[in-house]
Amino acid sequence: MKSKRLLVPYVAWMLVFTLIPLGVVVYFAFTDAATGRFTLENLSDLGVYLPIFLRSIFLSLISAGICLLIGYPVAYTIAQAPVKRQRFLSMLVMLPMCMSFLLRTLAWVAMLEDTGIINSVVTALGLEPLPLIRTNGAVILGMVYNYLPYMITPLYTVMMKIDHRLVEAAQDLGCDSTQVFTKVILPLSVPGIVSGITMVFVPAVSTFYISQKLGSTGTTMIGDVIESQFKTAYNPNLGAALSLVMMILIFVCIGFMNRFSDDDEEGVVTP
Amino acid sequence: MAKELIRLTDLTMEFDGEKILDNINLYINDHEFLTLLGPSGCGKTTTLRIIGGFLTPTSGDVLFDGQKINDVPSYKRKINTVFQKYALFPHLDVYDNIAFGLRIAKLDELEVDRRVEEMLDIVSLRGFENRKITQLSGGQQQRVAIARALVNKPKVLLLDEPLGALDLRLRKDMQNELKRIQQATDITFIYVTHDQEEALSMSDTVVVMDKGHIQQIGRPEDIYNEPKNAFVADFIGESNILDGVMIEDYLVEFFGRKFKCLDKGFAPNEPVDVVIRPEDIDFVDAAEGHLRGTVTNITFKGMQYDIIVDFKGFKWLIQTTDYQPVGKRVWIRLNPEDIHVMKKSEYSGLFGDYSSYSAEYDEIAEDTADEE
């Protein structure tokens, strides 16, 4: 079968760079650092990291929520614009992604730090410098700034596909513009909301660079801990265990979200 | 006595400087089944969308019950629409689609339920309440769309080519169904189609449109029997259209021969268009014949043969149940009631010549009309 042969490169790629490393992660997670024997200790030690897990989830959910609040009106506006302007506006949304992720985060450091741009202005006005950097707020800001395009893009894609005649049908049946939105546009954009939240939440929950640069020791996220296990604490087994739990957590989240969207998604072919 | 419900006065619509509608004047009576008929781009859908409140006319007025409603948004009009390709809500099931308008109007759920159930009976969709829209066939979606509009008991129902996506068989059934629903509910129907047969069989009044102008308004019989110009004669049914001269009242000349007819009121020797319907022509013996021609083509159409006959280089379409072989010399006779005389118009000479006739022509014409 020709169509199956076309899959070979992808399957090979998945095998070498995803499945085998995954196996390695699982192996490390269940073996002892010193002896290399099977153990559950790595996993049972994770209890101490529970607050960090919770904080990561909490901060990521907040970020995803803020991204949704900012991104939804933006996506809606773009989807309503004439086609030519749509292309220009969606390019604007993608533009920040052309710049390095590290650079974008460092730019925020320069903005927020105690002697940074914002505080220079504040002190020049004769006020006390504000505690901007090394706060949860700064971390959330960094995540929202970096991941906002991941929210807008799927939302825009879904909204663009909503048939304008459905809007007219709703008006015809007595909906004013608010009702058109709540009864038609919003329910039909649920699949976009779900994939937008997933696309923001997943990278946000495992991020480490943002929290290191914009946060403090009090805002450490699980990504930071994993990174430090590999790079500074030299305990790859614990790091692997953390990664594994993290991964399972993300799968559970995605599974939950998809279930939520399946119910509402249009055009689902049910056998 | 029929009461006027909607009136369009001097309605003009322009998009980017292009006139889509030019000076449309039309009134629509209460309880009437009125059809806007015309080819793609004739302005019929635009007219419907203006009545529905989805477009604001460039100039002219829309009156509803005597009130000007140009600026009344569609959600405040007592008008509902069955959209082309239905525009059903994919996130709602059949029941919720039908109940949509009633719930927006904040009727209590008992009343909503009663009316939705009643509607499900009318459109024969009982048992389909909880189906998803995507699980329905075209005909079923069609009926949901009708139910969703009718359940609101509008004064007027607008239907935009509602049967266009259905196959022939289903279309015929739905035509009868729609007519029955219209008579049962007593709601004014304004129906848009490019299908002349559909228009003739369902309507009380037919409005023939082309190029943003109304060409003719009348009862289906009048439109068919007394077309006003070559466009109407050609668009409604098949027509042979000839150049003629009206010698005097009740006497017209064409092909160098004078014929008695039933038309009058033209200037002496006024050039006119003469319409002869293909089904009105009979083959006769040479002794009784008026004109002699040669059969050049014959196509079996089921109900009849379509025969092309060459009269002095001008080809006519004749529809008859009599078989005539190609090459045969035939005589025809034209009785006064078979001849219809029309004033010359911008359409003169454009239609009614079957010189380039081919059996596929009809289908090609229909396909292009469907792409609107």
Side-chain angles (χ1 to χ4, degrees):
Chain A
M1 289 276 281
K2 204 172 182 184
S3 58
K4 277 193 181 160
R5 230 179 285 151
L6 290 173
L7 279 176
V8 168
Y10 174 73
V11 170
W13 176 273
M14 285 289 286
L15 195 70
V16 175
F17 297 107
T18 305
L19 288 179
I20 294 175
L22 207 61
V24 173
V25 169
V26 174
Y27 172 79
F28 270 84
F30 287 101
T31 49
D32 187 81
T35 62
R37 261 185 275 155
F38 175 79
T39 176
L40 289 174
E41 249 172 56
N42 296 323
L43 287 165
S44 59
D45 285 351
L46 292 183
V48 288
Y49 296 106
L50 183 67
I52 298 181
F53 266 112
L54 291 179
R55 185 191 301 132
S56 295
I57 293 170
F58 176 71
L59 291 180
S60 307
L61 280 180
I62 300 258
S63 305
I66 294 174
C67 280
L68 180 63
L69 287 181
I70 299 174
Y72 196 95
V74 175
Y76 186 66
T77 312
I78 299 177
Q80 298 290 311
V83 180
K84 264 192 187 164
R85 198 173 309 156
Q86 280 189 20
R87 258 182 249 139
F88 174 71
L89 289 173
S90 44
M91 193 200 70
L92 277 188
V93 168
M94 301 300 287
L95 199 60
M97 296 174 80
C98 302
M99 255 179 299
S100 160
F101 174 77
L102 302 180
L103 205 65
R104 276 179 281 156
T105 309
L106 284 173
W108 273 113
V109 173
M111 295 276 286
L112 299 179
E113 63 192 348
D114 295 337
T115 55
I117 295 168
I118 294 176
N119 271 328
S120 308
V121 174
V122 170
T123 42
L125 292 170
L127 301 166
E128 284 294 299
L130 302 167
L132 296 173
I133 204 159
R134 290 185 301 279
T135 57
N136 280 340
V139 175
I140 291 171
L141 176 72
M143 295 202 286
V144 168
Y145 178 75
N146 275 305
Y147 300 127
L148 190 57
Y150 295 108
M151 175 63 79
I152 295 176
T153 308
L155 277 174
Y156 161 67
T157 311
V158 167
M159 285 179 189
M160 201 180 52
K161 282 196 215 139
I162 295 177
D163 190 342
H164 185 69
R165 277 175 305 202
L166 295 178
V167 174
E168 286 189 352
Q171 288 169 343
D172 186 76
L173 293 166
C175 287
D176 57 32
S177 45
T178 316
Q179 287 166 320
V180 168
F181 179 77
T182 56
K183 304 280 179 188
V184 178
I185 306 278
L186 191 61
L188 286 176
S189 51
V190 165
I193 295 175
V194 168
S195 66
I197 289 179
T198 313
M199 302 260 289
V200 172
F201 176 75
V202 170
V205 79
S206 57
T207 190
F208 56 91
Y209 192 74
I210 295 173
S211 47
Q212 275 172 18
K213 291 295 164 193
L214 296 173
S216 66
T217 46
T219 61
T220 309
M221 291 182 62
I222 201 67
D224 300 314
V225 179
I226 295 173
E227 193 218 10
S228 67
Q229 293 307 321
F230 285 96
K231 293 182 76 177
T232 48
Y234 300 109
N235 190 349
N237 301 71
L238 184 61
L242 282 165
S243 296
L244 193 65
V245 170
M246 176 89 195
M247 208 153 50
I248 291 166
L249 191 100
I250 290 174
F251 278 138
V252 169
C253 289
I254 293 177
F256 175 75
M257 297 288 278
N258 281 351
R259 164 158 311 211
F260 186 62
S261 75
D262 277 352
D263 292 339
D264 289 293
E265 202 161 14
E266 66 171 297
V268 177
V269 183
T270 36
Chain B
M1 197 50 218
K3 177 174 145 292
E4 177 183 309
L5 187 63
I6 294 177
R7 178 175 282 272
L8 310 177
T9 51
D10 302 330
L11 207 61
T12 299
M13 187 76 204
E14 288 177 21
F15 289 118
D16 303 326
E18 196 188 340
K19 266 195 181 167
I20 305 297
L21 292 180
D22 193 4
N23 213 16
I24 297 287
N25 284 286
L26 178 68
Y27 67 90
I28 298 155
N29 285 328
D30 209 2
H31 311 315
E32 187 174 22
F33 195 127
L34 179 132
T35 299
L36 301 172
L37 173 67
S40 316
C42 72
K44 56 191 191 300
T45 297
T46 307
T47 309
L48 196 78
R49 288 171 60 79
I50 288 173
I51 298 172
F54 301 111
L55 291 174
T56 310
T58 313
S59 66
D61 286 335
V62 184
L63 302 174
F64 187 94
D65 243 346
Q67 300 277 323
K68 183 174 161 181
I69 57 164
N70 286 29
D71 300 319
V72 177
S74 65
Y75 70 90
K76 286 186 182 161
R77 298 189 183 189
K78 286 180 213 153
I79 297 175
N80 284 115
T81 309
V82 177
F83 290 85
Q84 208 171 7
K85 307 206 177 93
Y86 325 135
L88 298 172
F89 301 118
H91 59 296
L92 301 176
D93 64 13
V94 169
Y95 185 99
D96 290 337
N97 260 283
I98 299 175
F100 192 91
L102 301 176
R103 286 180 177 152
I104 293 296
K106 299 208 163 59
L107 266 62
D108 79 274
E109 273 304 309
L110 278 175
E111 174 71 3
V112 170
D113 194 60
R114 195 185 62 74
R115 279 170 62 175
V116 172
E117 295 292 326
E118 180 189 65
M119 219 55 231
L120 284 165
D121 278 337
I122 290 180
V123 298
S124 328
L125 277 177
R126 190 164 282 286
F128 288 82
E129 291 90 334
N130 300 318
R131 291 282 185 95
K132 285 195 152 205
I133 295 306
T134 43
Q135 295 169 327
L136 300 180
S137 71
Q140 289 163 344
Q141 291 190 15
Q142 167 66 67
R143 281 181 278 165
V144 176
I146 292 168
R148 184 181 68 174
L150 275 180
V151 76
N152 305 295
K153 303 201 168 139
K155 292 286 282 178
V156 180
L157 186 68
L158 308 180
L159 303 103
D160 187 2
E161 305 243 7
L163 308 183
L166 305 181
D167 62 57
L168 187 65
R169 185 71 182 252
L170 201 51
R171 204 149 71 199
K172 299 273 182 231
D173 291 346
M174 285 307 295
Q175 284 175 14
N176 295 332
E177 193 79 342
L178 277 176
K179 188 70 192 166
R180 183 185 64 75
I181 291 172
Q182 196 258 338
Q183 279 159 355
T185 54
D186 230 13
I187 291 172
T188 307
F189 274 36
I190 304 178
Y191 193 96
V192 159
T193 183
H194 64 266
D195 182 331
Q196 43 108 356
E197 195 197 326
E198 203 165 281
L200 295 180
S201 61
M202 297 166 77
S203 320
D204 299 318
T205 306
V206 177
V207 178
V208 185
M209 296 180 71
D210 187 47
K211 295 180 186 163
H213 294 272
I214 291 179
Q215 302 294 335
Q216 188 168 1
I217 305 176
R219 297 186 308 126
E221 292 90 337
D222 298 340
I223 297 267
Y224 189 86
N225 294 329
E226 306 285 331
K228 255 192 191 149
N229 60 35
F231 173 81
V232 178
D234 183 74
F235 196 77
I236 314 290
E238 300 282 353
S239 302
N240 299 295
I241 304 174
L242 320 162
D243 282 330
V245 175
M246 200 69 185
I247 305 294
E248 58 189 57
D249 282 356
Y250 310 116
L251 192 66
V252 63
E253 179 185 327
F254 54 92
F255 277 173
R257 195 184 162 124
K258 294 190 177 75
F259 291 90
K260 279 190 182 154
C261 63
L262 304 175
D263 301 272
K264 61 178 168 70
F266 293 85
N269 295 318
E270 181 178 340
V272 290
D273 285 335
V274 179
V275 180
I276 296 161
R277 293 288 186 186
E279 70 275 16
D280 289 341
I281 304 169
D282 297 320
F283 293 112
V284 293
D285 295 332
E288 307 169 22
H290 289 153
L291 293 170
R292 195 180 70 171
T294 312
V295 175
T296 63
N297 190 309
I298 178 158
T299 313
F300 178 61
K301 287 280 184 163
M303 289 251 302
Q304 85 277 349
Y305 292 103
D306 275 9
I307 299 177
I308 303 294
V309 179
D310 189 333
F311 295 99
K312 301 177 182 171
F314 194 95
K315 290 186 178 168
W316 291 26
L317 172 68
I318 298 176
Q319 291 174 335
T320 170
T321 51
D322 300 332
Y323 177 79
Q324 304 286 353
V326 172
K328 187 182 171 191
R329 294 277 175 102
V330 290
W331 284 91
I332 59 157
R333 182 181 176 83
L334 296 172
N335 299 315
E337 66 272 17
D338 301 336
I339 296 168
H340 172 64
V341 181
M342 309 179 301
K343 282 203 185 293
K344 285 276 179 194
S345 68
E346 54 169 321
Y347 296 103
S348 296
L350 295 177
F351 301 108
D353 179 4
Y354 288 87
S355 299
S356 56
Y357 177 86
S358 81
E360 292 86 45
Y361 181 74
D362 287 346
E363 284 136 47
I364 294 167
E366 234 165 68
D367 285 348
T368 43
D370 279 342
E371 279 161 17
E372 194 179 7

